[in-house]
Amino acid sequence: MLISPLLAHVLGQASRRGLILRVPSGESLLDTVEARLLAEYPDAVRSTRRRTLETGDAELTVALHPAARDLVITASDAGRVSVAAETEQVGPGYHRFVARLLERMGTDTAITWSRADIDRGDPADETDGTTFASRAIVERSYLAWLGRSLVAARAGRSAGRPGVQIGIPGTTRFAFDGAIATALGPRDDAWLEAALADTRVAIDVTPWWADATDGACLLNRALALMWLEVRWRAPALRAEGQLLDEVHRLLSKAFPLEPALPYPWQAWAELIELRGFDDPMARQAIARAAQAPEAAPVGYRRGPVTITHEGWALEIPGSFAERRTSEEWWGGGQGRNITLAAVRTGTAIGAMSAEAFVRQFAGDLGPGSIDHRAGGVMGRAKLSTDTSSGVEVGVLEGYSAVVGSGAAIKVVFDDPADWQWALDTWKALAPG
């Protein structure tokens, strides 16, 4: 099952079942898996997504922790099942939770796990495919990974480079002060030196250390959401409201288990006000926040963040709501929104030049278009207005390119005075 103690890749075969014994289809198998995960792990499964791959196999993506990349399960109509999960960033407790989840999945859905890949012609492996590493092995492996990451961060700081992100999944880059940014907040150079000298300090940034789902695990899960995902404003989308509900629920469950832990009382009270919670725990959190010493604000998204999409990077306000598909990224808030798409470009003789991309896609913007060149990026854009919705808004339609890659951006703004912001946003688009 384990490529390393911090990376799980499991292959399995579903057994025949039903009144007429037959192997379930990939879609049917994942229907069962998804239903059981949602029923048996309601506090752990944050969301699920389904799609059909080009091969015809069914895929189920499961979000289990805000500091972890998603668990990915694929199933074919022949009953072949593959599960992949990266667990190194979250900690030993999370790794062993995933292993137990896979063992339960195999038992409940009659999947026999194996290290061998029959489709590749691997020899049969009779070893129990769901055996996972002991706590001691996983712990040593995690601490080795964390130690290497911290050593690399110190070397970078010594060379004068800015702080780095450690253990933060996804493609968003956060602005922060300090040596490292972690899912549980930034740490300064003094902390980094202390952590390299003392393992007990280093594990302070581990979201899920113990095998149990204890108070510290629940608190850290909430902190990861507060640092990485919460936009510190009133929720504008249903999902944003659900996120605040999740944070409040986690903190409310953690406190009775371990009331002496360092809870972020002031940030919790702020979240309560944004969502309008009114229950005994909310009232207690507000009272404790009023008595607690002033603390640094929690949340990277209080400042700007840099998103990346298909090889292009753009700095946006951290408060922006976001949606992402394989084709486009969208972000917006407070009368401003941005849509970004990008594609690799090429011709029969090689990569397309930036000039050729701009001529092809931006050639019809007209005489009022604006050209831009900086740092190897070439672009062209046009400012206009749009009244199709019944309300006049400003629109910037722009294109940017480098050799082998091009991007299209649309910036819409309600306030006419935001035209300079729209231009600056387009000009800031760059490979990254």
Side-chain angles (χ1 to χ4, degrees), residues 10 21-22 25 35 46 130 188 216 220 225 268 270 274-275 331 380:
V10 191
L21 290 177
R22 67 184 75 183
S25 68
R46 302 192 63 224
T130 57
D188 60 19
N220 288 344
L225 291 169
W268 190 356
E270 182 180 356
L274 290 172
R275 187 58 167 159
R380 183 172 296 165

Side-chain angles (χ1 to χ4, degrees), residues 34-388:
E34 183 175 18
R36 289 185 176 275
L37 288 177
L38 291 171
E40 296 173 11
Y41 301 95
D43 293 333
V45 177
R46 302 192 63 224
S47 65
T48 60
R49 297 192 307 276
R50 295 281 292 274
R51 66 169 180 155
T52 301
L53 304 178
E54 293 181 359
T55 60
D57 292 350
E59 181 184 87
L60 172 65
T61 302
V62 185
L64 290 173
H65 195 283
R69 290 185 173 87
D70 293 345
L71 179 81
V72 180
I73 308 170
T74 59
S76 73
D77 288 342
R80 298 293 294 156
V81 183
S82 174
V83 183
E86 295 182 27
T87 61
E88 69 180 4
Q89 297 178 330
V90 187
Y94 176 71
H95 177 88
R96 285 170 60 80
F97 167 77
V98 170
R100 292 192 298 272
L101 181 150
L102 295 179
E103 285 189 328
R104 181 71 177 269
M105 184 193 306
T107 301
D108 290 349
T109 56
I111 299 172
T112 302
W113 301 116
S114 172
R115 295 184 181 89
D117 188 343
I118 297 172
D119 296 333
R120 285 196 321 228
D122 292 351
D125 184 354
E126 299 300 329
T127 306
D128 178 10
T130 57
T131 299
F132 56 93
S134 69
R135 169 73 197 193
I137 292 174
V138 175
E139 192 172 306
R140 285 197 301 270
S141 298
Y142 173 78
L143 290 174
W145 167 81
L146 181 59
R148 290 192 299 271
S149 300
L150 297 179
V151 167
R154 182 173 64 178
R157 298 292 282 177
S158 298
R161 292 192 289 272
V164 297
Q165 296 184 177
I166 294 177
I168 295 179
T171 56
T172 301
R173 298 197 294 268
F174 300 105
F176 65 95
D177 294 325
I180 62 171
T182 78
L184 302 183
R187 300 293 188 270
D188 60 19
D189 290 287
W191 181 94
L192 181 57
E193 291 300 324
L196 286 167
D198 188 343
T199 301
R200 291 171 297 179
V201 175
I203 62 175
D204 174 58
V205 296
T206 307
W208 195 338
W209 179 257
D211 283 357
T213 307
D214 56 6
C217 171
L218 295 171
L219 169 59
N220 288 344
R221 189 181 180 97
L223 282 170
L225 291 169
M226 296 169 88
W227 277 105
L228 303 177
E229 297 187 22
V230 170
R231 278 76 171 164
W232 295 91
R233 53 164 173 73
L237 303 175
R238 181 170 179 266
E240 293 177 350
Q242 292 172 332
L243 172 61
L244 301 189
D245 295 346
E246 183 180 2
V247 174
H248 182 59
R249 184 173 63 251
L250 288 166
L251 293 172
S252 297
K253 289 182 66 175
F255 181 74
L257 295 175
E258 297 185 67
L261 292 174
Y263 290 88
W265 295 112
Q266 289 159 2
W268 190 356
E270 182 180 356
L271 183 145
I272 289 167
E273 182 179 357
L274 290 172
R275 187 58 167 159
F277 294 115
D278 185 14
D279 56 56
M281 194 66 244
R283 292 190 287 273
Q284 182 173 172
I286 291 172
R288 286 176 175 265
Q291 299 171 359
E294 191 68 25
V298 173
Y300 294 118
R301 290 183 177 274
R302 296 180 187 273
V305 303
T306 299
I307 62 97
T308 59
H309 179 70
E310 297 297 322
W312 289 81
L314 184 67
E315 185 177 278
I316 63 167
S319 61
F320 265 20
E322 295 182 59
R323 292 194 299 267
R324 187 188 295 269
T325 67
S326 57
E327 292 80 26
E328 292 183 346
W329 171 90
W330 174 91
Q334 296 182 330
R336 299 172 169 182
N337 70 76
I338 305 167
T339 304
L340 175 65
V343 65
R344 291 286 180 185
T345 58
T347 67
I349 59 174
M352 179 183 288
S353 68
E355 292 84 355
F357 178 89
V358 171
R359 283 197 306 269
Q360 180 175 337
F361 292 94
D364 60 352
L365 291 182
S369 61
I370 305 163
D371 287 337
H372 168 66
R373 289 177 180 267
V377 178
M378 178 178 178
R380 183 172 296 165
K382 180 180 180 179
L383 283 164
S384 62
T385 59
D386 182 7
T387 59
S388 60

